[in-house]
Amino acid sequence: FQCEALRLMLARAFCGDAAAGEIATHSLASMARGGVYDQLAGGFHRYSVDERWHVPHFEKMAYDNAALLGLYADAFALTGEQSFARIAGEIRTWADEVLGGAAGRGFAASQDADVGLRDDGDYFTWTLDEARAVLDGRQLPLAVEWFALDESGDMHDRPGRNVLHTPKTPEQVAAL
């Protein structure tokens, strides 16, 4: 992430530079819809391992998320756009719940990319069969459209595993 560049763009926007504000808010909105953002638990993974910024390296770092939380809060202050406030809140909730801040014992520095020796990010991805197992007949078609789930998946080395991302707007999904 280029947090300092985005911070500069937001600072310029607060001083009246509309083009800088558009660059920053477009970037932040796109990042939040992509695979580098954990669409279920909140928080951002470290970086993308593909050119689409779709498949992340699944580790989440406290320092990345701290900087991003500030950026999303600032984007909300600049625009009033509720989605920026929601993402900031989800980052904070993730930090509290996963890194330990809510327990009053201090914070961990990161969340590992996997939960076992052979996981390799599977914990953060879904197969279509896994989605079918937890969603009812009404929820499944919406989830398939919203998260772009399919049988082939997104992981070239782990066929069938989907990285949750939201390429369509709620309005586009509702129109289907």
Side-chain angles (χ1 to χ4, degrees), residues 34-55:
V36 294
Y37 184 66
D38 187 335
Q39 302 292 331
L40 296 182
F44 282 86
H45 301 288
R46 287 192 81 184
Y47 54 85
S48 175
V49 297
D50 71 337
E51 69 282 354
R52 298 175 298 153
W53 274 70
H54 187 79
V55 178

Side-chain angles (χ1 to χ4, degrees), residues 72-140:
Y72 280 90
D74 287 348
F76 170 67
L78 177 69
T79 66
E81 173 61 46
Q82 288 298 314
S83 64
F84 294 132
R86 177 182 56 81
I87 296 297
E90 289 173 1
I91 293 169
R92 179 170 179 239
T93 298
W94 166 78
D96 285 346
E97 292 177 357
V98 176
L99 298 183
R105 64 179 186 273
F107 285 92
S110 66
Q111 179 181 12
D112 201 353
D114 43 55
V115 294
L117 292 176
R118 296 183 180 257
D119 182 312
D120 200 27
D122 287 358
Y123 175 80
F124 293 103
T125 62
W126 290 77
T127 65
L128 200 48
D129 285 339
E130 289 169 338
R132 284 185 188 112
V134 297
L135 299 172
D136 66 32
R138 185 171 160 253
Q139 297 167 328
L140 183 63

Side-chain angles (χ1 to χ4, degrees), residues 3 25 50 61 66 83 95 122 137 146:
C3 290
T25 57
D50 71 337
M61 305 302 291
S83 64
D122 287 358
W146 180 245

Side-chain angles (χ1 to χ4, degrees), residues 6 8-27 75 78-79 84:
L6 290 169
L8 174 63
M9 293 293 105
L10 285 172
R12 290 181 56 94
F14 277 109
C15 293
D17 185 339
E22 175 59 29
I23 291 167
T25 57
H26 176 79
S27 297
L78 177 69
T79 66
F84 294 132

